[in-house]
Amino acid sequence: MFLSRRSFLVGVGAVALVPVVGCAAETVVPLSSVEAADLAFVREEEKLARDVYVALAAIGGQTFENIASSEQTHMDRMKDLLDLYGVPDPVAGRGPGEFQNAELKALYDSLVAAGKASRNGALAVGLEIEELDIHDLDGVKARSTHDDVRGALD
């Protein structure tokens, strides 16, 4: 039985694949500096989404809890890619509402404040987050030359 590429890389934190049970070795093609920055940004933006949904779960209920869980899955996939390509994780060691990117921190603060005003405010914030994510992910996909990165963003 073969280990999947993802399982193997997550387990060893490798930058290149090595033979597994007789498989030929593969080399990971490095990201450009733009692609690395994009990937780090997406990881932090997914954290923003998760943190906002968690902060508003008392108002948004089970739906927001479910969406927060989905955002965590997206964060985890981006972390796998950061590890694969050796890109530093911008969210490492950061708690809820803490961001490396000052613009994302300001956006988090404004979204949580708007969402806590009312249930309709929370729903509007959820819509804003999803529209922002889709817009940003489309741009990152268009700039990426790596199939695994584009696939993770679908």
Side-chain angles (χ1 to χ4, degrees):
M1 174 175 252
F2 296 100
L3 292 174
S4 72
R5 177 187 300 194
R6 178 179 171 179
S7 297
F8 180 74
L9 290 170
V10 169
V12 298
V15 176
L17 294 175
V18 295
V20 178
V21 192
C23 293
E26 283 185 61
T27 302
V28 175
V29 177
L31 297 172
S32 70
S33 60
V34 170
E35 289 172 306
D38 278 349
L39 204 55
F41 178 80
V42 169
R43 167 89 164 143
E44 198 167 22
E45 189 175 61
E46 295 295 346
K47 179 188 185 311
L48 166 100
R50 184 210 54 197
D51 289 359
V52 170
Y53 284 118
V54 167
L56 299 180
I59 295 169
Q62 186 63 47
T63 300
F64 275 31
E65 290 176 22
N66 293 345
I67 297 170
S69 177
S70 179
E71 298 296 350
Q72 181 62 56
T73 300
H74 300 160
M75 282 182 66
D76 293 344
R77 181 63 183 124
M78 294 304 105
K79 175 70 166 90
D80 291 345
L81 290 169
L82 291 175
D83 290 346
L84 172 65
Y85 291 105
V87 178
D89 183 5
V91 307
R94 298 186 193 281
E98 297 176 354
F99 299 90
Q100 178 177 309
N101 181 310
E103 290 178 16
L104 291 178
K105 171 59 176 157
L107 181 58
Y108 169 84
D109 291 342
S110 82
L111 290 173
V112 169
K116 285 188 173 183
S118 68
R119 179 158 172 76
N120 284 343
L123 294 172
V125 162
L127 177 62
E128 185 175 345
I129 289 170
E130 297 309 316
E131 288 176 342
L132 177 65
D133 279 353
I134 290 168
H135 175 266
D136 290 343
L137 292 175
D138 285 346
V140 170
K141 278 193 323 192
R143 288 186 296 274
S144 181
T145 61
H146 290 74
D147 289 339
D148 58 343
V149 172
R150 286 194 304 266
L153 300 173
D154 282 333

